[in-house]
PDB file of all heavy atoms in Angstrom:
ATOM      1  N   PRO B 228      -5.612 -57.685  35.715  1.00 85.00           N
ATOM      2  CA  PRO B 228      -6.933 -58.464  35.562  1.00 85.00           C
ATOM      3  C   PRO B 228      -7.942 -57.408  35.117  1.00 85.00           C
ATOM      4  O   PRO B 228      -8.089 -56.324  35.458  1.00 85.00           O
ATOM      5  CB  PRO B 228      -7.198 -59.053  36.899  1.00 85.00           C
ATOM      6  CG  PRO B 228      -6.062 -58.795  37.799  1.00 85.00           C
ATOM      7  CD  PRO B 228      -5.272 -57.713  37.187  1.00 85.00           C
ATOM      8  N   ILE B 229      -8.979 -57.941  34.292  1.00 88.00           N
ATOM      9  CA  ILE B 229     -10.101 -57.058  33.677  1.00 88.00           C
ATOM     10  C   ILE B 229     -11.281 -57.483  34.276  1.00 88.00           C
ATOM     11  O   ILE B 229     -11.660 -58.679  34.220  1.00 88.00           O
ATOM     12  CB  ILE B 229     -10.021 -57.262  32.185  1.00 88.00           C
ATOM     13  CG1 ILE B 229      -8.640 -57.175  31.587  1.00 88.00           C
ATOM     14  CG2 ILE B 229     -11.020 -56.253  31.580  1.00 88.00           C
ATOM     15  CD1 ILE B 229      -8.571 -57.854  30.213  1.00 88.00           C
ATOM     16  N   HIS B 230     -12.102 -56.546  34.807  1.00 86.00           N
ATOM     17  CA  HIS B 230     -13.365 -56.790  35.277  1.00 86.00           C
ATOM     18  C   HIS B 230     -14.397 -55.765  34.604  1.00 86.00           C
ATOM     19  O   HIS B 230     -14.086 -54.676  34.566  1.00 86.00           O
ATOM     20  CB  HIS B 230     -13.486 -56.563  36.882  1.00 86.00           C
ATOM     21  CG  HIS B 230     -14.734 -56.998  37.392  1.00 86.00           C
ATOM     22  ND1 HIS B 230     -15.822 -56.136  37.484  1.00 86.00           N
ATOM     23  CD2 HIS B 230     -15.159 -58.164  37.894  1.00 86.00           C
ATOM     24  CE1 HIS B 230     -16.836 -56.747  38.019  1.00 86.00           C
ATOM     25  NE2 HIS B 230     -16.537 -57.978  38.378  1.00 86.00           N
ATOM     26  N   PRO B 231     -15.465 -56.321  34.009  1.00 85.00           N
ATOM     27  CA  PRO B 231     -16.331 -55.512  33.201  1.00 85.00           C
ATOM     28  C   PRO B 231     -16.902 -54.292  33.928  1.00 85.00           C
ATOM     29  O   PRO B 231     -17.296 -53.345  33.321  1.00 85.00           O
ATOM     30  CB  PRO B 231     -17.439 -56.392  32.757  1.00 85.00           C
ATOM     31  CG  PRO B 231     -17.421 -57.557  33.546  1.00 85.00           C
ATOM     32  CD  PRO B 231     -15.975 -57.737  34.172  1.00 85.00           C
ATOM     33  N   GLU B 232     -17.073 -54.325  35.286  1.00 82.00           N
ATOM     34  CA  GLU B 232     -17.544 -53.248  36.054  1.00 82.00           C
ATOM     35  C   GLU B 232     -16.570 -52.372  36.768  1.00 82.00           C
ATOM     36  O   GLU B 232     -16.678 -51.144  36.779  1.00 82.00           O
ATOM     37  CB  GLU B 232     -18.694 -53.765  37.051  1.00 82.00           C
ATOM     38  CG  GLU B 232     -20.004 -54.116  36.265  1.00 82.00           C
ATOM     39  CD  GLU B 232     -21.039 -54.596  37.280  1.00 82.00           C
ATOM     40  OE1 GLU B 232     -20.692 -55.703  37.879  1.00 82.00           O
ATOM     41  OE2 GLU B 232     -22.105 -54.008  37.377  1.00 82.00           O
ATOM     42  N   LEU B 233     -15.693 -53.038  37.438  1.00 82.00           N
ATOM     43  CA  LEU B 233     -14.681 -52.297  38.211  1.00 82.00           C
ATOM     44  C   LEU B 233     -13.578 -51.622  37.367  1.00 82.00           C
ATOM     45  O   LEU B 233     -13.232 -50.422  37.685  1.00 82.00           O
ATOM     46  CB  LEU B 233     -14.090 -53.234  39.303  1.00 82.00           C
ATOM     47  CG  LEU B 233     -14.998 -53.966  40.157  1.00 82.00           C
ATOM     48  CD1 LEU B 233     -14.360 -54.972  41.087  1.00 82.00           C
ATOM     49  CD2 LEU B 233     -15.780 -53.055  41.009  1.00 82.00           C
ATOM     50  N   THR B 234     -13.191 -52.344  36.390  1.00 87.00           N
ATOM     51  CA  THR B 234     -11.975 -51.758  35.593  1.00 87.00           C
ATOM     52  C   THR B 234     -12.362 -50.430  34.986  1.00 87.00           C
ATOM     53  O   THR B 234     -11.621 -49.470  35.165  1.00 87.00           O
ATOM     54  CB  THR B 234     -11.501 -52.825  34.583  1.00 87.00           C
ATOM     55  OG1 THR B 234     -11.263 -53.983  35.240  1.00 87.00           O
ATOM     56  CG2 THR B 234     -10.313 -52.286  33.970  1.00 87.00           C
ATOM     57  N   PRO B 235     -13.486 -50.303  34.232  1.00 90.00           N
ATOM     58  CA  PRO B 235     -13.787 -49.051  33.514  1.00 90.00           C
ATOM     59  C   PRO B 235     -14.059 -47.925  34.549  1.00 90.00           C
ATOM     60  O   PRO B 235     -13.489 -46.748  34.279  1.00 90.00           O
ATOM     61  CB  PRO B 235     -14.973 -49.347  32.712  1.00 90.00           C
ATOM     62  CG  PRO B 235     -15.524 -50.623  33.119  1.00 90.00           C
ATOM     63  CD  PRO B 235     -14.388 -51.376  33.836  1.00 90.00           C
ATOM     64  N   THR B 236     -14.702 -48.140  35.637  1.00 86.00           N
ATOM     65  CA  THR B 236     -14.999 -47.185  36.581  1.00 86.00           C
ATOM     66  C   THR B 236     -13.727 -46.504  37.107  1.00 86.00           C
ATOM     67  O   THR B 236     -13.512 -45.364  37.258  1.00 86.00           O
ATOM     68  CB  THR B 236     -15.785 -47.781  37.753  1.00 86.00           C
ATOM     69  OG1 THR B 236     -16.845 -48.417  37.254  1.00 86.00           O
ATOM     70  CG2 THR B 236     -16.266 -46.610  38.811  1.00 86.00           C
ATOM     71  N   SER B 237     -12.745 -47.474  37.560  1.00 87.00           N
ATOM     72  CA  SER B 237     -11.510 -46.837  38.162  1.00 87.00           C
ATOM     73  C   SER B 237     -10.674 -46.155  37.170  1.00 87.00           C
ATOM     74  O   SER B 237     -10.198 -45.095  37.449  1.00 87.00           O
ATOM     75  CB  SER B 237     -10.761 -47.999  38.877  1.00 87.00           C
ATOM     76  OG  SER B 237      -9.951 -48.715  38.004  1.00 87.00           O
ATOM     77  N   TRP B 238     -10.655 -46.536  35.842  1.00 92.00           N
ATOM     78  CA  TRP B 238      -9.869 -45.859  34.795  1.00 92.00           C
ATOM     79  C   TRP B 238     -10.535 -44.485  34.485  1.00 92.00           C
ATOM     80  O   TRP B 238      -9.851 -43.493  34.351  1.00 92.00           O
ATOM     81  CB  TRP B 238      -9.640 -46.713  33.668  1.00 92.00           C
ATOM     82  CG  TRP B 238      -8.583 -47.605  33.834  1.00 92.00           C
ATOM     83  CD1 TRP B 238      -8.647 -48.935  34.376  1.00 92.00           C
ATOM     84  CD2 TRP B 238      -7.139 -47.393  33.796  1.00 92.00           C
ATOM     85  NE1 TRP B 238      -7.358 -49.453  34.458  1.00 92.00           N
ATOM     86  CE2 TRP B 238      -6.417 -48.570  34.075  1.00 92.00           C
ATOM     87  CE3 TRP B 238      -6.375 -46.304  33.347  1.00 92.00           C
ATOM     88  CZ2 TRP B 238      -5.087 -48.703  34.116  1.00 92.00           C
ATOM     89  CZ3 TRP B 238      -4.948 -46.384  33.337  1.00 92.00           C
ATOM     90  CH2 TRP B 238      -4.304 -47.549  33.762  1.00 92.00           C
ATOM     91  N   THR B 239     -11.869 -44.519  34.384  1.00 91.00           N
ATOM     92  CA  THR B 239     -12.485 -43.276  34.074  1.00 91.00           C
ATOM     93  C   THR B 239     -12.196 -42.228  35.179  1.00 91.00           C
ATOM     94  O   THR B 239     -11.884 -41.048  34.956  1.00 91.00           O
ATOM     95  CB  THR B 239     -14.076 -43.435  33.960  1.00 91.00           C
ATOM     96  OG1 THR B 239     -14.329 -44.352  32.873  1.00 91.00           O
ATOM     97  CG2 THR B 239     -14.861 -42.135  33.646  1.00 91.00           C
ATOM     98  N   LEU B 240     -12.289 -42.675  36.464  1.00 87.00           N
ATOM     99  CA  LEU B 240     -12.079 -41.762  37.525  1.00 87.00           C
ATOM    100  C   LEU B 240     -10.641 -41.315  37.642  1.00 87.00           C
ATOM    101  O   LEU B 240     -10.349 -40.175  37.968  1.00 87.00           O
ATOM    102  CB  LEU B 240     -12.615 -42.390  38.829  1.00 87.00           C
ATOM    103  CG  LEU B 240     -13.959 -41.965  38.870  1.00 87.00           C
ATOM    104  CD1 LEU B 240     -14.875 -42.977  39.240  1.00 87.00           C
ATOM    105  CD2 LEU B 240     -14.190 -40.685  39.723  1.00 87.00           C
ATOM    106  N   ILE B 241      -9.691 -42.232  37.420  1.00 90.00           N
ATOM    107  CA  ILE B 241      -8.259 -41.840  37.268  1.00 90.00           C
ATOM    108  C   ILE B 241      -8.057 -40.664  36.209  1.00 90.00           C
ATOM    109  O   ILE B 241      -7.462 -39.729  36.474  1.00 90.00           O
ATOM    110  CB  ILE B 241      -7.366 -43.001  36.964  1.00 90.00           C
ATOM    111  CG1 ILE B 241      -7.261 -43.901  38.225  1.00 90.00           C
ATOM    112  CG2 ILE B 241      -5.963 -42.554  36.500  1.00 90.00           C
ATOM    113  CD1 ILE B 241      -6.589 -45.132  38.052  1.00 90.00           C
ATOM    114  N   ALA B 242      -8.761 -40.868  35.044  1.00 92.00           N
ATOM    115  CA  ALA B 242      -8.638 -39.946  34.050  1.00 92.00           C
ATOM    116  C   ALA B 242      -9.243 -38.698  34.458  1.00 92.00           C
ATOM    117  O   ALA B 242      -8.608 -37.497  34.162  1.00 92.00           O
ATOM    118  CB  ALA B 242      -9.213 -40.481  32.634  1.00 92.00           C
ATOM    119  N   PHE B 243     -10.429 -38.657  35.016  1.00 89.00           N
ATOM    120  CA  PHE B 243     -11.109 -37.452  35.463  1.00 89.00           C
ATOM    121  C   PHE B 243     -10.206 -36.707  36.486  1.00 89.00           C
ATOM    122  O   PHE B 243     -10.110 -35.456  36.350  1.00 89.00           O
ATOM    123  CB  PHE B 243     -12.472 -37.803  36.238  1.00 89.00           C
ATOM    124  CG  PHE B 243     -13.532 -37.951  35.167  1.00 89.00           C
ATOM    125  CD1 PHE B 243     -14.854 -38.304  35.635  1.00 89.00           C
ATOM    126  CD2 PHE B 243     -13.442 -37.737  33.904  1.00 89.00           C
ATOM    127  CE1 PHE B 243     -15.874 -38.614  34.732  1.00 89.00           C
ATOM    128  CE2 PHE B 243     -14.479 -37.985  32.989  1.00 89.00           C
ATOM    129  CZ  PHE B 243     -15.701 -38.306  33.364  1.00 89.00           C
ATOM    130  N   ALA B 244      -9.676 -37.423  37.380  1.00 88.00           N
ATOM    131  CA  ALA B 244      -8.887 -36.743  38.420  1.00 88.00           C
ATOM    132  C   ALA B 244      -7.709 -36.174  37.825  1.00 88.00           C
ATOM    133  O   ALA B 244      -7.312 -34.952  38.185  1.00 88.00           O
ATOM    134  CB  ALA B 244      -8.493 -37.856  39.498  1.00 88.00           C
ATOM    135  N   ALA B 245      -7.144 -36.806  36.852  1.00 90.00           N
ATOM    136  CA  ALA B 245      -5.857 -36.268  36.121  1.00 90.00           C
ATOM    137  C   ALA B 245      -6.154 -35.065  35.398  1.00 90.00           C
ATOM    138  O   ALA B 245      -5.489 -33.997  35.548  1.00 90.00           O
ATOM    139  CB  ALA B 245      -5.277 -37.306  35.232  1.00 90.00           C
ATOM    140  N   VAL B 246      -7.350 -35.039  34.685  1.00 88.00           N
ATOM    141  CA  VAL B 246      -7.829 -33.893  33.948  1.00 88.00           C
ATOM    142  C   VAL B 246      -8.196 -32.712  34.866  1.00 88.00           C
ATOM    143  O   VAL B 246      -7.770 -31.593  34.595  1.00 88.00           O
ATOM    144  CB  VAL B 246      -8.963 -34.304  33.062  1.00 88.00           C
ATOM    145  CG1 VAL B 246      -9.638 -33.106  32.391  1.00 88.00           C
ATOM    146  CG2 VAL B 246      -8.457 -35.185  32.042  1.00 88.00           C
ATOM    147  N   ALA B 247      -8.733 -32.975  36.042  1.00 84.00           N
ATOM    148  CA  ALA B 247      -9.118 -31.984  36.961  1.00 84.00           C
ATOM    149  C   ALA B 247      -7.797 -31.356  37.566  1.00 84.00           C
ATOM    150  O   ALA B 247      -7.754 -30.118  37.614  1.00 84.00           O
ATOM    151  CB  ALA B 247      -9.997 -32.566  38.161  1.00 84.00           C
ATOM    152  N   LEU B 248      -6.822 -32.214  37.865  1.00 84.00           N
ATOM    153  CA  LEU B 248      -5.557 -31.656  38.415  1.00 84.00           C
ATOM    154  C   LEU B 248      -4.926 -30.842  37.266  1.00 84.00           C
ATOM    155  O   LEU B 248      -4.390 -29.737  37.717  1.00 84.00           O
ATOM    156  CB  LEU B 248      -4.605 -32.864  38.715  1.00 84.00           C
ATOM    157  CG  LEU B 248      -4.603 -33.338  40.101  1.00 84.00           C
ATOM    158  CD1 LEU B 248      -3.772 -34.527  40.255  1.00 84.00           C
ATOM    159  CD2 LEU B 248      -4.189 -32.163  41.045  1.00 84.00           C
ATOM    160  N   GLY B 249      -4.917 -31.248  36.091  1.00 81.00           N
ATOM    161  CA  GLY B 249      -4.224 -30.508  35.069  1.00 81.00           C
ATOM    162  C   GLY B 249      -4.931 -29.328  34.450  1.00 81.00           C
ATOM    163  O   GLY B 249      -4.343 -28.671  33.659  1.00 81.00           O
ATOM    164  N   GLY B 250      -5.955 -28.888  35.022  1.00 76.00           N
ATOM    165  CA  GLY B 250      -6.802 -27.861  34.327  1.00 76.00           C
ATOM    166  C   GLY B 250      -7.564 -28.453  33.243  1.00 76.00           C
ATOM    167  O   GLY B 250      -7.047 -29.041  32.337  1.00 76.00           O
ATOM    168  N   PHE B 251      -8.907 -28.281  33.319  1.00 73.00           N
ATOM    169  CA  PHE B 251      -9.812 -28.942  32.476  1.00 73.00           C
ATOM    170  C   PHE B 251      -9.590 -28.604  31.022  1.00 73.00           C
ATOM    171  O   PHE B 251      -9.334 -27.489  30.583  1.00 73.00           O
ATOM    172  CB  PHE B 251     -11.186 -28.633  32.768  1.00 73.00           C
ATOM    173  CG  PHE B 251     -11.516 -29.068  34.204  1.00 73.00           C
ATOM    174  CD1 PHE B 251     -11.365 -28.231  35.177  1.00 73.00           C
ATOM    175  CD2 PHE B 251     -11.997 -30.305  34.357  1.00 73.00           C
ATOM    176  CE1 PHE B 251     -11.639 -28.581  36.442  1.00 73.00           C
ATOM    177  CE2 PHE B 251     -12.243 -30.753  35.652  1.00 73.00           C
ATOM    178  CZ  PHE B 251     -12.048 -29.906  36.763  1.00 73.00           C
ATOM    179  N   GLY B 252      -9.470 -29.711  30.187  1.00 71.00           N
ATOM    180  CA  GLY B 252      -9.373 -29.411  28.701  1.00 71.00           C
ATOM    181  C   GLY B 252      -7.977 -29.321  28.258  1.00 71.00           C
ATOM    182  O   GLY B 252      -7.644 -29.342  27.056  1.00 71.00           O
ATOM    183  N   SER B 253      -6.904 -29.230  29.164  1.00 82.00           N
ATOM    184  CA  SER B 253      -5.588 -29.007  28.705  1.00 82.00           C
ATOM    185  C   SER B 253      -4.915 -30.390  28.589  1.00 82.00           C
ATOM    186  O   SER B 253      -4.762 -31.110  29.469  1.00 82.00           O
ATOM    187  CB  SER B 253      -4.849 -28.091  29.606  1.00 82.00           C
ATOM    188  OG  SER B 253      -3.415 -28.434  29.589  1.00 82.00           O
TER     189      SER B 253
END
Side-chain angles (χ1 to χ4, degrees):
Chain B
I229 312 155
H230 186 274
E232 284 179 295
L233 304 177
T234 307
T236 307
S237 81
W238 281 93
T239 300
L240 271 133
I241 285 168
F243 276 175
V246 169
L248 264 177
F251 298 90
S253 152

